[in-house]
Amino acid sequence: MDKNDVSGITDAVFFSGQEGVLNYATPQSWSWGEKGLVLTLPRDAGALSPKAADGLLFLTTEGGGTTAYKLDPMLKISDENGRHTSATETSTLLTTEGMPVWRAALFALLGGLILNLMPCVFPILSLKAFSFISANYKTEAKRRFEGIAYTFGIWVSFMAIVAVLLALRAGGAAIGWGFQLQEPLFVALMVLLMTFVALSLSGLFDIRLGFEGAGQGFASREGAQGAFFKGVLAALVATPCTAPLMAPAIGFALTQPIVTVFTVFSLLAIGMALPFLALSFIPAVAKMMPKPGAWMEKMKEALAFPMYLTAAWLLYIFDRQLGAVATFLLLVGLIICIFGVWLSKQGQGRVLKVISLLIIVGGITFVASKPWAGLLETGDQAMEAEGVYSAENLAALRAEGKPVFVYFTADWCITCKVNEKVVLMTDDIQGLFAEKNITVLKGDWTNRNAEIAGVLARYGRAGVPLYLYYAPGAAEAVLLPEILTPGAVRDAVS
């Protein structure tokens, strides 16, 4: 490839068509040589020797545009005496991931709509329940304003997450969609936030976020501030629950120019907000909601329990990330905060309120200081070496001619856990693996893992789940769908 073929190159990355050849966690370097573009590709000691040189070459140009070339050259390897075979090279220009922008945008819109039904988002719907119930009490202008505010809250969250993700990737970090739940401190602070919201819904105290009060008082008090907050919160916990249509769209968008990124993720936000927008802008839908009344106070208290469950789920993720000692320290900080909330209800004096506030701030500060630093005790460390994904393990098994099934998962990925429960861990599929002598490797992405991030990027995925089957002697893996079925697994291994 000559300089004149592609001008303004700012970065070049090559993904080999053979697994286990390159180390994607180490940055590649490139330069222009006498014969064209020269790439230096890092390899681990003991990595597989390449049997072919095919793969994808991604070139980033000025302005952030990405062009992909499918390379199918002859492999040239020098032996100890310097002898090598002749080499020719051909390349085919591709669109990244082979997906037009309009299709990625459509998938994002539909995926955002489906996201409202995903398990990790559903508890947050309790924060919107009163908006739906009291919608027919509000004026049409107020309903529309709150619908826009809710949508804007989701959009701001998505744009912030994408901006941080792209900035970290530009700095060389190997991370993907939903990366915030790979940071234990973020998970810990979300545990505190969900608990505060649940305590407020339970009536223990009021936080001025737009969902205090009940009946007519609630309907009149809730406004754009509460709607915006609900949108932000829903988007923060929604990102790991990637809907089936969203994965290819997100993976595609994150490799595209900023305009495409903005378009795809804006439509993702609109798709997620569509039910609330329909309620806000279509009077007939609003009139279908039940009339507000005194019964709403009891329902408000009942809706706290999905928030408690969300806090429990986040606590489980935190425990899986850092272990029992760190979880104990997080619970200590949480109990300090709850004690401060309880103390604030014991009187009306100003001194008591200040002391209560200081205790709550102290509990939050204790958690934010990460007292568990140095106590890392992840589930990965507790797992045995056999059955854990690594390029070395996969390469060794494939070199022996064994069939291998690899699945990439995370404890915070609800879709992953459902697939494992209803498909992978069933007696039927486990018996199939045993019958065909298939070795199963698990890639755990609960915490950040650059090697797994590289595999996900190679297959155009921004996050988990990812399922791959390597048949004996096959040059490439069979890519299974995100939503697994026993039939899909049987078809792949057949």
Side-chain angles (χ1 to χ4, degrees):
M1 178 179 295
D2 188 79
K3 283 185 178 181
N4 297 325
D5 294 336
V6 181
S7 60
I9 294 178
T10 59
D11 193 18
V13 179
F14 178 76
F15 292 94
S16 172
Q18 183 181 349
E19 191 73 36
V21 172
L22 302 178
N23 177 2
Y24 295 107
T26 302
Q28 301 179 9
S29 60
W30 63 277
S31 62
W32 288 107
E34 294 181 359
K35 296 184 178 180
L37 188 65
V38 178
L39 282 85
T40 301
L41 309 177
R43 285 167 45 82
D44 290 326
L48 287 180
S49 297
K51 300 184 181 302
D54 62 303
L56 292 177
L57 175 63
F58 286 83
L59 300 180
T60 303
T61 56
E62 295 175 354
T66 302
T67 305
Y69 287 87
K70 181 179 180 182
L71 305 181
D72 189 18
M74 291 179 60
L75 182 64
K76 180 173 67 174
I77 301 178
S78 299
D79 59 19
E80 296 178 355
N81 299 319
R83 296 189 300 267
H84 57 76
T85 60
S86 60
T88 60
E89 179 180 348
T90 59
S91 63
T92 305
L93 181 63
L94 302 175
T95 57
T96 306
E97 301 303 328
M99 180 183 294
V101 175
W102 69 265
R103 185 180 300 171
L106 177 62
F107 281 2
L109 182 67
L110 296 177
L113 182 61
I114 295 173
L115 199 56
N116 286 282
L117 304 177
M118 301 301 283
C120 59
V121 181
F122 193 74
I124 309 301
L125 297 182
S126 62
L127 292 180
K128 295 188 292 181
F130 280 107
S131 298
F132 280 77
I133 292 170
S134 60
N136 52 15
Y137 191 87
K138 301 173 182 177
T139 65
E140 183 175 345
K142 187 173 183 179
R143 283 201 309 268
R144 290 182 177 181
F145 189 61
E146 290 184 12
I148 295 173
Y150 174 72
T151 305
F152 187 61
I154 296 176
W155 182 85
V156 167
S157 283
F158 280 157
M159 290 299 116
I161 292 172
V162 170
V164 173
L165 174 60
L166 294 178
L168 291 175
R169 281 190 170 186
I175 59 175
W177 188 243
F179 69 93
Q180 68 271 24
L181 287 185
Q182 292 177 321
E183 172 51 56
L185 178 58
F186 177 85
V187 177
L189 294 176
M190 287 294 290
V191 170
L192 295 183
L193 177 60
M194 293 298 177
T195 303
F196 281 146
V197 171
L199 291 174
S200 178
L201 291 172
S202 296
L204 187 58
F205 78 114
D206 287 334
I207 50 178
R208 301 295 171 178
L209 293 172
F211 48 82
E212 63 277 359
Q216 180 176 342
F218 178 88
S220 61
R221 291 183 185 181
E222 188 190 51
Q225 180 184 8
F228 178 82
F229 169 76
K230 294 167 191 174
V232 170
L233 195 58
L236 285 176
V237 299
T239 49
C241 286
T242 306
L245 292 175
M246 288 166 56
I250 291 174
F252 165 81
L254 293 176
T255 65
Q256 298 303 297
I258 191 64
V259 174
T260 303
V261 174
F262 175 84
T263 301
V264 170
F265 284 96
S266 294
L267 287 171
L268 180 62
I270 293 173
M272 188 173 174
L274 270 180
F276 199 21
L277 286 174
L279 177 72
S280 303
F281 283 84
I282 304 177
V285 177
K287 290 180 180 179
M288 295 172 61
M289 298 296 105
K291 297 290 184 181
W295 60 272
M296 291 178 64
E297 180 64 31
K298 295 299 181 182
M299 184 175 180
K300 176 174 75 72
E301 295 175 0
L303 288 173
F305 290 95
M307 302 307 299
Y308 286 123
L309 287 175
T310 303
W313 169 63
L314 290 166
L315 190 63
Y316 161 76
I317 294 173
F318 184 86
D319 181 74
R320 291 287 295 168
Q321 289 175 323
L322 296 180
V325 176
T327 302
F328 169 76
L329 294 173
L330 171 57
L331 288 173
V332 169
L334 180 60
I335 292 171
I336 292 173
C337 292
I338 295 175
F339 173 73
V341 171
W342 172 82
L343 189 63
S344 69
K345 304 291 290 185
Q346 304 310 306
Q348 299 298 323
R350 185 178 182 86
V351 174
L352 182 63
K353 296 297 183 184
V354 171
I355 294 175
S356 302
L357 179 61
L358 290 176
I359 291 175
I360 294 173
V361 172
I364 296 174
T365 304
F366 175 75
V367 172
S369 68
K370 299 197 290 188
W372 51 80
L375 297 178
L376 186 62
E377 182 187 324
T378 67
D380 283 345
Q381 293 175 334
M383 294 173 62
E384 298 179 358
E386 184 179 1
V388 178
Y389 171 81
S390 69
E392 292 78 11
N393 286 351
L394 177 61
L397 291 168
R398 296 195 67 198
E400 295 174 10
K402 294 182 178 180
V404 184
F405 183 90
V406 185
Y407 70 101
F408 298 93
T409 182
D411 288 329
W412 40 260
C413 173
I414 303 297
T415 304
C416 305
K417 295 306 174 185
V418 172
N419 286 341
E420 292 161 26
K421 181 68 175 179
V422 303
V423 180
L424 291 182
M425 302 307 169
T426 61
D427 292 339
D428 181 31
I429 297 301
Q430 290 295 310
L432 174 66
F433 289 156
E435 174 189 342
K436 295 186 174 293
N437 196 28
I438 297 173
T439 301
V440 179
L441 298 180
K442 175 184 176 180
D444 192 340
W445 210 43
T446 300
N447 293 314
R448 292 178 186 173
N449 184 302
E451 184 177 28
I452 293 177
V455 177
L456 295 173
R458 182 187 171 199
Y459 287 93
R461 297 289 174 85
V464 289
L466 175 65
Y467 305 101
L468 304 172
Y469 174 67
Y470 295 86
E476 189 53 85
V478 175
L479 179 63
L480 281 75
E482 278 192 296
I483 303 301
L484 278 185
T485 62
V489 178
R490 287 187 173 276
D491 290 343
V493 301
S494 297

